Amino acid sequence: MGREVGRVVAVAMMLTGGVAGAQISPTTAPSNAPGTGAPGTAAPSPGNLSPGTVPTPSPGTSPAPGPSGTGSSAANPTPGTRAPLPGPAAVNPGPAAEPGNAAAKGATAGTPKPASATPGAQDLGSSPIAPGSGDGARGDLTPGAPRGAPEEAQNQAPGTSQATKPLKGPITLAQLVARARTQDARVAEASAELRKFQALYDQARWAWFPRFEITLGAGGPVPEARNNGLGGPPTTEASLEGDWNFGKVGVTVFSTGNAVLPLYTFGKLSALEKAGEQGPKVGAALRERVRAEAGFQAAQAYYGYQLARAGLKQLEDVSKRLKDAGDKIDALLKEDSDQVTKLDTYKLGYFRQLVESQRATAVQGEQFALTAIRLLASAGPDEQVEVMEEDLPLQGDVNVPDLETSLKQANERRPELKAIAAGIIAREQEVIIRERSYYPDLGLAGYYDVRWTSSATRQRSPFAYDPFNDRTAGLGLVIRGTFDIPIKDAQLEQARAELDKMHAQELTLKAGIQLEVTQVQSQLAASYSRAKSFTEAEKNAKRWATAAYAAFDLGTGDTRELVDAFTALAQASAERGKSWHDVRVGLASLARVTGAVPATDE
């Protein structure tokens, strides 16, 4: 799906004068076609009506910045690839399914503020997930103010003073997500891409502006050319041609200029401007998608760190209990008690080593998660990053939205759908431009030609030709068109085919989003059910371990019962932490796939 969605960005390649011109001009200058960067491609000058220079968007081009996260282990149900951000290994991991991709719950839940800075921006609604805090740096999905770069793209790019602002105190999930959404390098890349789309839109809006071509020059030497100023014969011997007598030579200075203002283009200019409006929408939507990915990866790293931290605490508790049991066994062996044997010491030692091996895995996972947090928070090399400690289990009940509600929200708010909708509009305008290319364009043309030569007599007769001292200017109506009908037919059919292809991509995208939302919503419901079950299982395992240890301490229990109880407790605790980790990531996943945005603005 990510690959299919990314193709709509290619639509922006036709947003400027490359879309059939829609203006007339006396000349066509070779330059780079807008959006292609291909040197030597002939781009129509403002006014070139030939559609032959329309750059064709490449269907395989995907400008989506950077890889995106995939949750802990869930398979991505849509086409395309995403680089996973591995979480720390859980203690005694069980077959817990991972939720899919999404943005952080704490930073994407709640009701978003309206984009007051952008007239006409849509209210993206509210998330059904419990409200949390976030950064609010969502993209402006409407090109109401196309000129200039977004503020966060200018002031919050990586490497700026704000991007390297030191962290104060333990970083929370909301702070981490906010920094990732505004300072990640992929977000900066997407913001730069949006600025390019806005500039292309400006270029399309000003496609009607005349292209003034002015030439200034001076040169010499110019041979003497004298007569009576009325077109008569030369009056000096040096003015005669055919000899080496140049007389008193001089210099010449000249200036020429021309321009064409389009008056009526059968709707081509209007279609070009409407197509250009879609570029900032596409760029802003893709930037919002990148922000959501960065926010989700931040939440994934944050919850992975909390899982590893909780696992280490659980291992400490189990290790302490096993050590106490080992000391008790050693004491009973010294007393030659019939309750234990040397075999019990070996059993206990084996399980203690298993706990130590899991501890090394948990430490590695904690270090990896902390490294990911540093990267996503744009922390400096010497900057100390401390993460706020948070319990993974939620205190209240989790409100898992039903599938119908989740699908409705995704269809209304996913930025990929906004991007492809804008791309379809742009393609429709291209078809209109191709259809109108059969008609000529009406324009107002003007020119002037001023020349002066020091060694030539200025001719005063209007019937005398004077290449040395000419002063002419003119203004008139012009009509310009081309008759390459077979080529225009082929280009029109190509534009219609591209539009049909984009409609098909829209259907594929909607199907992929439906599959993704269905997977994430079902996995979240299953994760929450497992979390509640393992929470109760841990409570029972604690009671079992307490009873087994008390019986062993009193001499009425054996070591097998004690070891089994501790093993069950360790596994239940690990599965409980892992399942609540899945719930937290699942909430973030559901927020992302339904297109939730941060609740507050920075």
Side-chain angles (χ1 to χ4, degrees), residues 213-284:
E213 295 187 357
I214 298 176
T215 303
L216 296 174
V222 178
E224 181 179 311
R226 301 292 183 181
N227 68 356
N228 61 1
L230 298 176
T235 57
T236 63
E237 183 179 354
S239 299
L240 297 174
E241 294 183 350
D243 55 25
W244 294 98
N245 185 8
F246 298 131
K248 187 178 180 181
V249 297
V251 296
T252 183
V253 179
F254 63 92
S255 175
T256 61
N258 60 74
V260 180
L261 173 67
L263 298 179
Y264 187 71
T265 62
F266 290 92
K268 289 191 282 289
L269 277 177
S270 300
L272 177 63
E273 182 176 355
K274 188 173 182 180
E277 290 178 357
Q278 312 311 313
K281 294 181 182 180
V282 172

Side-chain angles (χ1 to χ4, degrees), residues 382-419:
D382 300 328
E383 184 178 357
Q384 296 295 328
V385 176
E386 183 181 356
V387 182
M388 179 72 70
E389 293 188 3
E390 180 180 348
D391 292 332
L392 288 171
L394 296 168
Q395 300 298 325
D397 293 335
V398 176
N399 179 23
V400 180
D402 59 87
L403 180 59
E404 183 179 357
T405 301
S406 300
L407 289 174
K408 181 180 178 181
Q409 292 175 340
N411 289 330
E412 293 175 352
R413 306 187 307 200
R414 283 291 290 264
E416 295 92 333
L417 293 176
K418 298 178 186 297

Side-chain angles (χ1 to χ4, degrees), residues 509-577:
L509 174 62
K510 289 182 177 179
I513 288 178
Q514 182 179 6
L515 180 62
E516 186 179 23
V517 173
T518 301
Q519 180 198 37
V520 171
Q521 192 272 344
S522 61
Q523 288 180 345
L524 174 58
S527 298
Y528 184 48
S529 177
R530 288 195 305 271
K532 293 191 294 184
S533 298
F534 281 122
T535 299
E536 292 299 322
E538 185 189 36
K539 293 179 181 178
N540 292 326
K542 286 182 177 179
R543 298 188 186 104
W544 180 14
T546 301
Y549 187 82
F552 181 79
D553 192 41
L554 294 174
T556 58
D558 56 10
T559 55
R560 179 176 182 179
E561 185 71 18
L562 180 66
V563 171
D564 288 347
F566 283 164
T567 302
L569 175 60
Q571 184 174 2
S573 297
E575 293 294 348
R576 170 179 171 269

Side-chain angles (χ1 to χ4, degrees), residues 134 148 154 197 205 214 267 292 296 350 359 378 392 400 409 421 463 485 567:
Q154 296 178 2
F197 290 150
R205 289 193 305 123
I214 298 176
F296 171 73
Y350 168 75
R359 186 199 308 276
S378 300
L392 288 171
V400 180
Q409 292 175 340
F463 304 102
I485 305 300
T567 302

